[in-house]
Amino acid sequence: MDFSGCPALEELIIKCSNIAIGGTLSFPSLKRLAIIKCDVPSEFRIPISAPGLVSLRLEDLNGMTPLVESMPSLVTGFIRLGGTRCADHCPLDKFGACGDDQCAPCYGSHDDDDDDGDGPVILTSLSNASHLELIAERGVGIFKRDLKWFPTFSKLKTLLLNEWSLASGLRAISCFLQHSAMLEKVTLQLNEEPEDTIELEGSCIPTDKLLHPKHLKLVEIRYLKVDERVLNVLKILNTFGISLDRINILKTSGLSNCFSFERCKEDLAAAGSTST
């Protein structure tokens, strides 16, 4: 699907549609893209090429998570992985790493003819963003898998994560803190109650090589109830030299699937254009 013949197209919302194509979704002129609750192939990843994109929203896709190509101009990204028929879902684990190295959702494809292979799917291509919300439903380990490539987020200022970031001893949180030098605010939104105890493993980087986030002003933890997860997050933050006066712990009244990019309209107001 090539939109190169639409040079004036800058904003596109695709919602509740069947995207059944075998080639690349190419948007050379697009600035803002949202793909919401759509059906995509379950046998392979559709590549998305949109080098001029400043805002990306991928939400609740049924099928395999698209293979996102480099987006050097990206400012804002809202990615929620899941959906009722998400092909990246592993039923044996919460957020990846089920222990079966033949499990493609957790560890990538081992097929030599598969272009996806074991390479990164999405995080590396979001590395220039200033604002990211990365949400994964239980059993979807794409983000966790992508972090093994240690992407660097050199412009990232605000970051929102949910429960997937607590898997494997909170290594995801420590990796983001280590590789996001300009980070100013981190929000952890813990909507689900834990099923198992989280074993704290520490940072993905040796303690003597930690780079403390100099620009971090606030870490906000939203939770249903205080449990071992919150206490372990505090331990990780302390390892990075983040004092308690920069940590805000808020109790939520109940389960909510509404994240901050959905609650505010700042991104749409900044767009100043109509949906196509």
Side-chain angles (χ1 to χ4, degrees), residues 188-209:
L188 299 178
Q189 190 154 318
L190 310 180
N191 291 333
E192 298 181 10
E193 296 190 26
E195 291 184 354
D196 303 304
T197 301
I198 296 174
E199 183 178 350
L200 188 63
E201 295 180 3
S203 173
C204 61
I205 305 295
T207 304
D208 60 349
K209 296 183 179 180

Side-chain angles (χ1 to χ4, degrees), residues 26-70:
S26 180
F27 308 101
S29 65
L30 212 59
K31 301 295 183 183
R32 299 167 187 85
L33 173 65
I35 304 178
I36 305 167
K37 299 181 185 295
C38 289
D39 293 334
V40 295
S42 298
E43 300 80 18
F44 58 90
R45 302 191 189 281
I46 294 179
I48 295 179
S49 175
L53 217 63
V54 298
S55 176
L56 174 66
R57 179 177 177 183
L58 298 180
E59 180 180 345
D60 300 337
L61 303 183
N62 294 315
M64 295 190 77
T65 303
L67 184 64
V68 179
E69 298 182 0
S70 178

Side-chain angles (χ1 to χ4, degrees), residues 159 185-189 218-222 237 246-250 263:
L159 174 67
K185 180 181 178 180
V186 177
T187 301
L188 299 178
Q189 190 154 318
L218 176 64
V219 176
E220 188 171 273
I221 305 173
R222 296 177 174 269
L237 297 178
R246 288 188 285 170
I247 302 173
N248 190 13
I249 303 177
L250 303 173
R263 291 195 298 265

